[in-house]
């Protein structure tokens, strides 16, 4: 139950961070104002007071990080309690070990020997 709630909170905080970052104006927007597109007192200097969007982004980022640590702790604690794998669930059957076939004796090859002519096979007649 707690894991489900924390996972939902994680998704909501991640989506909120993405939305808030996309809504904010970038620092590069002030650079154009210094070259005739408007009046800006802080072209390349420090930004003024933080806006509400940047504060909300920082809050959701903190929630996201703390929630990530909490979820990691919960999943790691549950995983260490009962380590299982698919191989643990397969029934084990006792079988005899496979025996290796007997080695075939090697006949020495005589270089002067003439190979024998193949003999025709005897096919049994059908009654």
């Amino acid at each position: 139950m707690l894991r489900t709630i924390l996972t939902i909170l994680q998704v909501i905080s991640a989506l909120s961070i993405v939305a808030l970052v996309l809504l904010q104006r970038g620092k590069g927007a002030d650079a154009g104002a210094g070259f005739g597109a408007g009046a800006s007192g802080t072209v390349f200097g420090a930004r003024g007071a933080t806006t509400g969007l940047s504060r909300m982004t920082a809050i959701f980022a903190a929630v996201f990080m703390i929630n990530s640590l909490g979820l990691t702790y919960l999943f790691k604690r549950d995983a260490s309690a009962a380590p299982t794998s698919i191989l643990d669930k397969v029934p084990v059957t006792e079988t005899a070990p496979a025996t290796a076939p007997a080695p075939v004796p090697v006949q020495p090859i005589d270089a002067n020997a003439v190979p024998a002519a193949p003999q025709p096979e005897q096919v049994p007649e059908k009654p």
Side-chain angles (χ1 to χ4, degrees):
M1 178 72 177
L2 179 63
R3 204 183 309 170
T4 305
I5 292 171
L6 289 178
T7 304
I8 291 171
L9 181 65
Q10 185 81 355
V11 171
I12 290 171
S13 64
L15 292 175
S16 299
I17 290 171
V18 169
L20 287 170
V21 167
L22 289 176
L23 285 175
Q24 293 180 28
R25 247 175 66 185
K27 288 184 179 180
D30 290 338
F35 298 107
S40 175
T42 59
V43 175
F44 294 108
R47 294 189 69 173
T50 58
T51 63
L53 289 177
S54 63
R55 284 186 188 151
M56 289 298 293
T57 305
I59 291 170
F60 276 112
V63 168
F64 183 84
M65 291 303 295
I66 292 169
N67 196 19
S68 295
L69 293 172
L71 281 171
T72 303
Y73 175 73
L74 284 177
F75 277 102
K76 187 168 177 96
R77 185 184 63 179
D78 291 346
S80 64
T84 60
S85 73
I86 292 176
L87 295 177
D88 293 338
K89 297 177 184 177
V90 175
V92 178
T93 57
E94 295 295 326
T95 58
T99 58
V104 177
V106 179
Q107 307 245 346
I109 298 175
D110 186 8
N112 297 330
V114 176
Q119 299 294 324
E121 291 185 29
Q122 298 292 333
V123 179
E125 294 186 23
K126 295 183 182 180

